[in-house]
Every structure is written in C-alpha cells, then in structure tokens.
Amino acid sequence: MKKSLFLIFVLAVSAAWISPYSGQRIITGRVTTMEDGYPIAGVSVNLKGSPTSTHTGRNGEYSIQVERDDQVLVFSFVGYETREIKVGS
C-alpha cells in the first residue's frame, strides 16, 4: 500500500513540474442553464479533434487540459444544443 501511494505522489509531482514547461494548461469552468443559471451535471466536454474529454461534476464544474489557445471545446448534453467555444475566447 505504501508503495502505490508513494508512486502516485511521485507521478503527481512530476506532472506538476512538466506541465508548465510543455505549453499545456488547465481550463476550468462551470456549465449552467441559460434560463435560470442552475448547474448541469454530466455535460460532456471534449477537446475538438482530440481524444481528450471530461464531464461536468454535480455543480456543473469541469477542468480539462489543453495545449494551445486556438483549440475548441465542445459541450454536449442530451436535450440541449451542442456548443463549440474557442479556448482563447
């Protein structure tokens, strides 16, 4: 058990050191309804043209790693219109 926890800690620290120098950054946000501002859980957030994706949590919050400002996030959820938003905007 101690070995696996130590390995996870080492990998987490390594990732924190590598990310700032590789041009990658974390985008965070919150998805809500336009009508009343309630958060929407389970929204699919995909990086267009990439296998990278995530889902919003119960408070509508998400975080996703991107490499460039010109990339596009695609938000989709059953019953709602799909939206594409450029990362730099």
Side-chain angles (χ1 to χ4, degrees):
M1 181 70 176
K2 288 182 181 181
K3 287 183 181 181
S4 61
L5 287 176
F6 178 72
L7 179 60
I8 291 170
F9 175 75
V10 170
L11 291 175
V13 171
S14 297
W17 286 338
I18 293 169
S19 292
Y21 301 105
S22 65
Q24 297 178 346
R25 65 182 212 193
I26 304 291
I27 302 295
T28 60
R30 187 171 188 223
V31 179
T32 61
T33 60
M34 290 181 68
E35 299 83 27
D36 50 23
Y38 286 117
I40 308 174
V43 175
S44 177
V45 183
N46 299 302
L47 192 57
K48 190 172 186 176
S50 165
T52 304
S53 66
T54 189
H55 288 88
T56 58
R58 65 180 176 166
N59 293 324
E61 296 173 346
Y62 69 91
S63 113
I64 191 166
Q65 188 169 333
V66 299
E67 294 181 13
R68 303 179 317 269
D69 283 342
D70 64 345
Q71 292 182 294
V72 175
L73 295 179
V74 180
F75 297 84
S76 59
F77 189 69
V78 175
Y80 286 83
E81 183 179 333
T82 298
R83 298 280 312 259
E84 293 188 9
I85 300 177
K86 189 174 178 182
V87 170
S89 59

